[in-house]
Amino acid sequence: MLELRPICECCGKALPPSAPDAMICSFECTFCRECVSERLGGRCPNCGGGLVARPIRPASKLAANPASNHGVYNPKGCGREGRPLGDTTQAIGIV
Ligand SMILES: [Zn+2]
Ligand SMILES: [Zn+2]
């Protein structure tokens, strides 16, 4: 099952399960479409693989199969300076 990570790894943008602009690689590295097209050139900066649009899990399935609340936020991985995230985001960085 997909994790459905809650944020873009590059810019920290919120990507809820219903987000139409979430993109993932085969390892589920998760980015927003804007970062993929403007910064990443369509390639995952972590594994070099392609990124595709993340399927949207139907809301009726989310109760039993909830999205992950652990995001990965690694702005340096895509060449960005980090910015602080709000308290509502449960992001974890990878070192
Ligand atoms: Zn982004
Ligand atoms: Zn990847």
Side-chain angles (χ1 to χ4, degrees):
M1 186 171 85
L2 289 175
E3 280 187 58
L4 302 176
R5 293 177 189 168
I7 56 170
C8 171
E9 191 169 310
C10 181
C11 70
K13 180 184 177 182
L15 294 170
S18 60
D21 59 339
M23 313 254 324
I24 58 173
C25 79
S26 69
F27 294 98
E28 297 188 52
C29 307
T30 303
F31 301 94
C32 72
R33 189 179 297 275
E34 188 179 325
C35 288
V36 170
S37 62
E38 295 187 7
R39 292 192 153 267
L40 305 177
R43 294 264 145 209
C44 175
N46 301 321
C47 68
L51 290 153
V52 298
R54 186 176 72 185
I56 292 174
R57 184 169 301 166
S60 61
K61 304 293 184 197
L62 278 171
N65 305 279
S68 168
N69 55 22
H70 288 286
V72 175
Y73 180 54
N74 181 29
K76 290 193 173 64
C78 64
R80 283 180 73 102
E81 289 301 312
R83 66 169 172 80
L85 289 168
D87 292 337
T88 54
T89 310
Q90 302 175 40
I92 54 169
I94 41 177
V95 181

